[in-house]
């Protein structure tokens, strides 16, 4: 059950069942609880067999493309990123429209554990940030598609 979403995504070669694996991923993520335990043998194997330098180069290339075209809303300027964080108004509306276009931007920190009264800036910031995908799986053409669709929405 722990790897159900990952396996569904792995098997979705044609990317026709994004709604299924993404829903499973969200459900699994919401059920996660922080705990201290040893890394699984599978995680160790994956880390040992992943070509990090090559993947990092692809991510940097995709990050640079998004940075070039979305500099005005970029939150960070240089990294080997997991994604490309941006700050926008009407984030929830924007992310719904991106998801409808099968662009799976992520929302981080949807529910901050602190009070909004004590940390108003942080809560406001968390409501305006989303992360665009830019990892090694994507091509420049896919980055162009993301920029084009986002600019239409904005």
């Amino acid at each position: 059950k722990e790897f159900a979403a990952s396996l569904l995504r792995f098997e979705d070669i044609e990317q026709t069942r994004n709604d299924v694996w993404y829903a499973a991923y969200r459900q699994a993520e919401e059920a996660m609880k922080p705990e201290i335990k040893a890394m699984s043998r599978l995680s160790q194997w994956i880390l040992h067999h992943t070509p990090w330098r090559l993947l990092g180069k692809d991510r940097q290339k995709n990050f640079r493309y998004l940075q070039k075209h979305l500099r005005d809303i970029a939150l960070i300027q240089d990294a080997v990123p997991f994604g490309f964080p941006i700050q926008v108004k009407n984030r929830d509306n924007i992310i719904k429209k991106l998801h409808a276009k099968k662009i799976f931007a992520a929302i981080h920190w949807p529910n901050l554990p602190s009070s909004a009264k004590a940390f108003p800036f942080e809560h406001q910031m968390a409501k305006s940030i989303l992360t665009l995908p830019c990892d090694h799986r994507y091509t420049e053409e896919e980055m162009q598609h993301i920029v084009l669709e986002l600019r239409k929405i904005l």
Side-chain angles (χ1 to χ4, degrees), residues 73-150:
I73 55 175
L75 281 175
I76 56 177
Q77 298 303 317
D78 196 24
V80 179
F82 177 72
F84 187 79
I86 60 174
Q87 187 172 14
V88 293
K89 295 176 184 169
N90 303 314
R91 188 233 17 228
D92 294 339
N93 184 43
I94 290 169
I95 202 155
K96 283 179 188 173
K97 289 179 179 181
L98 288 173
H99 288 179
K101 299 281 187 180
K102 299 194 183 295
I103 298 170
F104 292 98
I107 294 176
H108 303 288
W109 318 291
N111 300 305
L112 296 179
S114 61
S115 85
K117 187 175 180 180
F119 297 94
F121 174 78
E122 289 79 359
H123 277 263
Q124 188 57 41
M125 183 77 129
K127 290 178 184 175
S128 65
I129 296 173
L130 63 90
T131 303
L132 299 174
C134 71
D135 64 57
H136 55 279
R137 296 170 292 164
Y138 298 95
T139 64
E140 186 168 316
E141 290 77 25
E142 289 166 311
M143 296 291 98
Q144 290 170 355
H145 173 70
I146 290 170
V147 169
L148 177 67
E149 293 300 330
L150 180 61

Side-chain angles (χ1 to χ4, degrees), residues 33-84:
K33 304 227 181 315
E35 58 185 329
I36 298 173
K37 65 180 192 177
M39 183 186 298
S40 71
R41 286 182 38 227
L42 176 59
S43 293
Q44 290 176 7
W45 186 90
I46 291 170
L47 287 172
H48 182 72
H49 289 85
T50 301
W52 296 111
R53 286 191 174 92
L54 179 61
L55 300 180
K57 286 179 184 177
D58 290 344
R59 287 178 181 226
Q60 287 173 326
K61 180 180 76 173
N62 289 338
F63 185 92
R64 283 191 300 271
Y65 182 87
L66 292 172
Q67 183 182 46
K68 177 180 177 184
H69 295 281
L70 300 172
R71 181 172 293 281
D72 58 318
I73 55 175
L75 281 175
I76 56 177
Q77 298 303 317
D78 196 24
V80 179
F82 177 72
F84 187 79

